[in-house]
Structures are given as structure tokens and as C-alpha cells.
């Protein structure tokens, strides 16, 4: 751990200021690349917003449309991120190898995070196919296994966790889970019963 200038830990008295660790500074190029991605994503979502939101309710003014607040937030995000991405955009034209080394530094160590993000997207896709309970258990089991926690105890722990969560949501709070494609394939009485909990 780095120490403050002139601070000697051997002669420090009780109550003296504690050493302050060095906090690595994020290069402007790295921050700019992240902001560029954020601006592009916000702009893409802003373009999609009118097509995925509900229209203005009958008899209501245009400014009460459900798309307004998300569009305002996305526009603010896109504008702010674009401004913060300016050093990166300038560096694209003039940057050399050192520039790209600093940009890559922003993404070091993100491999596992990206994998978990992909797994979560897969989980969201499975919800409409296998239902909440089965999809959640598969997602939890894959994440636990990927993190290095293997063995029958962890398999059982994820099963118990999902069962408790389903009981709390379905029985305790009375929430209904979305009807999945799997339950349409099963015989109707069993499919209707299973879709209430699975």
C-alpha cells in the first residue's frame, strides 16, 4: 500500500491520518471508449423507444405518452456520453499504438462479467420457453458452476434457493408467473397446474 508523502508508518502516533492507497486513474481514452459505447446504446434505444411503447391513451395530451420519460432519459444519456466521448473520438483520428493500449485497459478483467451478461440474456430468453422456476434454476446452477462452486451440495442449495423464492413470490405475494411454451405442449390439466408454479 502506498503511503502519504512524508508519512512514516514506524513513527506514526495513534490518531495520525492513515495512509491513503494509490487509486489508479482511468485514462481519458479508456473512459471515452466506454462513453462512446454508452452513447451508441442510448441512441439505439432512443430510436427503438417509439416502436416498443404504448400510444398516448385516448383523451390524453401528447406529453402524457408513455414514451416521453424514457426518451428524455435516453436523450440525456446519449448527449452526456457523447460529450464525454469527445477525447476518444479525437484520439481515433490521431491515436497510435499507445492510444489503443490505453483503450484496452478499460476492458481488462471483464471477461467473466461479459459471460455472466450473456448467461443472463439466455435466462431472459428461456423464461418464455421453460417458465420462471425451471429457467431460474438452470440460470442459478450454471452461474454457481461457472464460479467454481461444484458438487451435490451446491446443486441442492440452488434448488432450495429457487424453491424458496418461488414459494415467497407465488404463495406469499400471490404473483403469477408468465405462461411458458413448455406448458402448452404438456397435457392441458397438467400444463395448467404446472404453469402456476413452474
Amino acid at each position: 500500500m502506498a503511503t502519504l508523502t512524508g508519512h512514516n508508518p514506524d513513527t506514526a502516533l495513534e490518531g495520525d491520518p492513515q495512509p491513503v492507497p494509490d487509486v489508479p486513474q482511468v485514462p481519458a481514452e479508456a473512459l471515452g471508449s466506454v462513453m462512446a459505447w454508452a452513447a451508441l446504446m442510448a441512441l439505439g434505444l432512443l430510436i427503438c423507444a417509439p416502436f416498443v411503447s404504448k400510444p398516448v391513451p385516448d383523451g390524453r395530451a401528447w406529453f402524457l405518452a408513455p414514451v416521453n420519460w424514457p426518451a428524455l432519459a435516453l436523450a440525456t444519456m446519449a448527449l452526456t456520453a457523447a460529450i464525454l466521448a469527445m477525447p476518444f473520438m479525437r484520439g481515433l483520428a490521431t491515436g497510435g499504438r499507445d492510444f489503443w493500449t490505453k483503450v484496452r485497459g478499460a476492458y481488462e478483467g471483464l471477461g467473466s462479467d461479459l459471460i455472466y451478461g450473456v448467461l443472463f440474456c439466455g435466462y431472459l430468453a428461456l423464461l418464455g420457453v421453460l417458465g420462471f422456476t425451471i429457467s431460474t434454476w438452470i440460470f442459478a446452477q450454471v452461474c454457481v458452476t461457472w464460479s467454481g462452486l461444484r458438487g451435490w451440495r451446491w446443486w441442492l442449495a440452488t434448488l432450495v434457493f429457487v424453491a424458496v423464492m418461488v414459494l415467497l413470490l407465488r404463495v406469499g405475494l400471490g404473483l403469477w408467473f408468465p405462461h411458458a411454451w413448455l406448458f402448452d405442449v404438456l397435457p392441458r390439466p397438467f400444463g395448467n397446474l404446472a404453469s402456476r408454479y413452474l
Side-chain angles (χ1 to χ4, degrees):
M1 181 178 352
T3 59
L4 292 170
T5 305
H7 181 84
N8 187 348
D10 296 329
T11 60
L13 300 173
E14 187 175 342
D16 280 356
Q18 296 298 313
V20 178
D22 288 330
V23 178
Q25 296 296 316
V26 179
E29 297 85 354
L31 177 62
S33 68
V34 173
M35 290 299 109
W37 278 113
L40 288 174
M41 285 189 292
L43 189 58
L45 291 172
L46 185 59
I47 292 170
C48 294
F51 302 103
V52 296
S53 63
K54 294 182 179 179
V56 184
D58 291 337
R60 299 293 181 95
W62 64 269
F63 52 83
L64 296 176
V67 73
N68 288 342
W69 283 111
L72 179 62
L74 288 169
T76 304
M77 177 180 171
L79 180 62
T80 305
I83 292 170
L84 293 174
M86 288 300 179
F88 173 75
M89 301 307 290
R90 284 193 298 268
L92 280 177
T94 60
R97 179 174 294 184
D98 186 51
F99 172 79
W100 287 108
T101 301
K102 290 180 180 178
V103 169
R104 279 197 302 273
Y107 302 98
E108 287 179 357
L110 289 181
S112 294
D113 299 326
L114 293 174
I115 290 172
Y116 284 119
V118 170
L119 289 175
F120 185 72
C121 290
Y123 165 65
L124 294 178
L126 275 181
L127 284 174
V129 178
L130 300 179
F132 177 79
T133 304
I134 298 171
S135 300
T136 303
W137 179 76
I138 291 173
F139 173 67
Q141 184 59 45
V142 170
C143 286
V144 166
T145 302
W146 178 260
S147 68
L149 304 173
R150 297 178 175 87
W152 67 270
R153 289 182 181 174
W154 289 107
W155 182 89
L156 183 61
T158 57
L159 186 63
V160 170
F161 169 76
V162 172
V164 169
M165 189 166 59
V166 168
L167 287 174
L168 286 174
L169 293 175
R170 178 66 196 99
V171 179
L173 298 177
L175 297 178
W176 284 91
F177 300 132
H179 187 78
W181 170 85
L182 173 66
F183 307 126
D184 289 332
V185 177
L186 299 173
R188 185 179 295 273
F190 182 72
N192 288 338
L193 177 64
S195 68
R196 296 179 62 185
Y197 299 99
L198 301 179

